[in-house]
Amino acid sequence: MNPITLSKSAARRIMLDAQLLHGPPGMASGTDGASRIIERLGYVQIDTIHVVERAHHHVLWTRMPGYGGELLHELQAVRRGVFEYWARAMAYLPMRDYRFSILRMRQFRRPDHPRRTWIEARQKLPLETVMNRIRAEGPLSAKDFAHPRERKRGPWWDWKPAKSALELLLWQGELMVAERRNFQKVYDLTERVLPSGTDTRLPDERETAEHLIRRALGAMGIAEAREIDEYLQPAAARDSVFRVVSWDRLTRTIDELAEDGAVVPVLVEGDREKTHYALSGAAERSAGTPKAKAAVRLLSPFDNLVIQRDRTDRFFDYQCTLECYTPAAKRIHGYFVLPVLFGERLVGRVDPQADRKSGRLILRSVELEEDFQPTGAFLAEFAKAAAAYAKFNRCNAVVLGKVRPAKWKPALRDRLKTIF
């Protein structure tokens, strides 16, 4: 099949359309809307950083104004529409995709799996004790298990034995996360959490490969083979022991789907050396979509649109950085920086902090890209987006810190004053 050739602008539009970020948000409200977003994206990454609302809530809110964390709780704990498991990282996944995690669960049951052996080399895991207590007492969290006095609490690699056991049993598929209480996982037996009628047939490698391809392209719009491979697999998946689908099987399946017409090759102007792929019809439909009114969206650095940093740089000419693990003195942009999306461009970044005691959203820095000249329309949209983000973080005021270039600070401050 002859490849479709697209401009970079058209390619960006396809990507944004696939990510539900093209034009004004139009997603249904409530748990149905949250469910459809996760279904479309394939996964929503869970993150612990809480200087502002956590990433999984942020990703959903960006696509569904009015979203609140109670919707995700209901979707997981009541409707059982999503489950927690590994994707690119630990994430919320559509429950209908459960069977495609079974291969990875079986990997974790292998006694030679490196993640398992690494933990077991440091701790004697009370797997049977944990299972017996949950079986008898019902759902439990890590705090329900006593912590050995001789062990010092620390980061995840220094978990207490019971916590390590709970996580390994989760990874092996023996337990599931029934709900979260104050962000703490509550574990229960898989047989008591998994909805009746859930498809648990073990897929073969070919079927799994097609699932990964369709999910990735449905969420990304267009992508090259390596990006497809990395969308739903952990960052360590290049090590064969972490893979559920071999690289050879994945690329052969892409070729087979292309021969059948289910997938079409795509060339992007200025990047013709790389062959990209799209689901049949998706590229043509999205490329023909007219440009929508440019709105500002403040994205999480873990947002599915920007999580593959090389791809973001290539298509948006934007370097998305995460410096929260970098010593403060060496940070360039800030602690937890949010990319600023304006229409079809990434035009800047914001370093926010939600001061929940005072009810203030502090924008420690607002930095615009060097080649971007903000207009009055942009400043108005940015102020509106900042106000909405403040409300999402349960804040009722926005405090403006450093602005780069500094000459735009008075105009931006005035725009914010018209809202608060």
Side-chain angles (χ1 to χ4, degrees), residues 61 98 113 116-117 119 158 204-205 234 239 263 305 331 335 366:
W61 172 82
Y98 179 83
H113 191 285
R116 176 175 177 173
T117 56
I119 294 174
D158 193 30
D204 61 24
E205 193 181 28
D239 184 339
V263 165
L305 177 70
R331 291 176 195 146
Y335 177 76
V366 176

Side-chain angles (χ1 to χ4, degrees), residues 152-412:
K152 178 184 176 183
R153 287 181 182 268
W156 74 267
W157 57 83
D158 193 30
W159 284 337
K160 61 184 180 181
K163 172 63 175 177
S164 298
L166 287 164
E167 285 298 289
L168 184 56
L169 289 166
L170 171 67
W171 300 345
Q172 292 177 344
E174 304 293 340
L175 298 178
M176 294 182 72
V177 179
E179 62 174 313
R180 282 182 179 254
R181 297 174 188 160
N182 297 321
F183 195 62
Q184 298 300 308
K185 295 176 185 176
V186 179
Y187 305 81
D188 201 358
L189 302 179
T190 293
E191 63 201 55
R192 296 200 293 232
V193 177
L194 198 65
S196 60
T198 301
D199 190 350
T200 57
R201 292 172 300 144
L202 182 67
D204 61 24
E205 193 181 28
R206 169 61 173 75
E207 189 178 4
T208 303
E210 182 169 349
H211 167 75
L212 292 177
I213 293 163
R214 289 185 178 275
R215 270 281 183 241
L217 290 180
M220 291 194 286
I222 67 171
E224 59 173 327
R226 182 63 67 184
E227 293 164 348
I228 293 170
D229 184 51
E230 294 176 351
Y231 189 75
L232 279 165
Q233 302 220 65
R238 291 180 183 178
D239 184 339
S240 61
V241 75
F242 287 95
R243 301 186 69 91
V244 292
V245 173
S246 69
W247 172 251
D248 179 65
R249 177 69 270 181
L250 185 88
T251 54
R252 280 191 289 123
T253 304
I254 292 174
D255 290 340
E256 291 164 5
L257 291 173
E259 290 175 6
D260 293 341
V263 165
V264 295
V266 176
L267 296 178
V268 179
E269 292 178 357
D271 196 20
R272 289 177 176 269
E273 293 182 0
K274 293 184 175 70
T275 299
H276 297 78
Y277 300 91
L279 295 177
S280 181
E284 297 91 332
R285 288 193 300 272
S286 296
T289 302
K291 290 186 178 182
K293 176 186 176 182
V296 169
R297 290 184 173 88
L298 305 180
L299 304 180
S300 166
F302 293 105
D303 195 281
N304 299 51
L305 177 70
V306 298
I307 195 63
Q308 294 188 14
R309 308 308 193 199
D310 291 344
R311 172 181 167 87
T312 305
D313 191 8
R314 198 167 75 250
F315 281 99
F316 291 90
D317 301 312
Y318 181 93
Q319 293 184 348
C320 184
T321 58
L322 184 63
E323 299 179 299
C324 53
Y325 304 112
T326 302
K330 295 184 178 181
R331 291 176 195 146
I332 298 173
H333 302 293
Y335 177 76
F336 194 70
V337 173
L338 313 183
V340 178
L341 177 67
F342 181 49
E344 296 172 6
R345 291 189 59 192
L346 291 170
V347 300
R349 58 201 82 219
V350 175
D351 182 26
Q353 178 185 0
D355 185 342
R356 296 174 178 89
K357 288 186 179 180
S358 67
R360 300 181 307 160
L361 177 71
I362 302 169
L363 304 184
R364 294 185 287 200
S365 70
V366 176
E367 185 176 348
L368 302 178
E369 295 292 274
E370 291 182 0
D371 64 344
F372 176 66
Q373 291 296 316
T375 62
F378 168 79
L379 295 173
E381 287 294 323
F382 182 90
K384 186 190 306 182
Y389 189 64
K391 182 179 179 181
F392 171 59
N393 279 276
R394 300 181 298 283
C395 295
N396 52 28
V398 175
V399 177
L400 187 61
K402 185 181 298 184
V403 176
R404 300 176 188 168
K407 65 180 180 179
W408 295 110
K409 184 171 182 176
L412 185 53

Side-chain angles (χ1 to χ4, degrees), residues 34 37-38 41 43-50 52-63 67-69 72-73 76 84 90-92 180 182-183 300 302-304 336 392:
I37 293 170
I38 297 173
L41 299 182
Y43 78 95
V44 171
Q45 182 170 332
I46 301 169
D47 190 63
T48 60
I49 295 173
H50 197 33
V52 286
E53 269 291 353
R54 291 187 171 95
H56 41 283
H57 295 308
H58 188 169
V59 168
L60 293 169
W61 172 82
T62 302
R63 293 156 175 82
Y67 165 84
L72 188 54
H73 178 268
Q76 177 183 35
E84 292 187 31
M90 191 59 75
Y92 290 102
R180 282 182 179 254
N182 297 321
F183 195 62
S300 166
F302 293 105
D303 195 281
N304 299 51
F336 194 70
F392 171 59

Side-chain angles (χ1 to χ4, degrees), residues 2-31:
N2 293 328
I4 299 171
T5 300
L6 298 171
S7 66
K8 185 178 284 190
S9 176
R12 284 197 297 263
R13 201 174 309 168
I14 292 167
M15 293 165 61
L16 292 168
D17 189 52
Q19 283 283 308
L20 303 172
L21 293 171
H22 184 261
M27 185 54 60
S29 61
T31 53

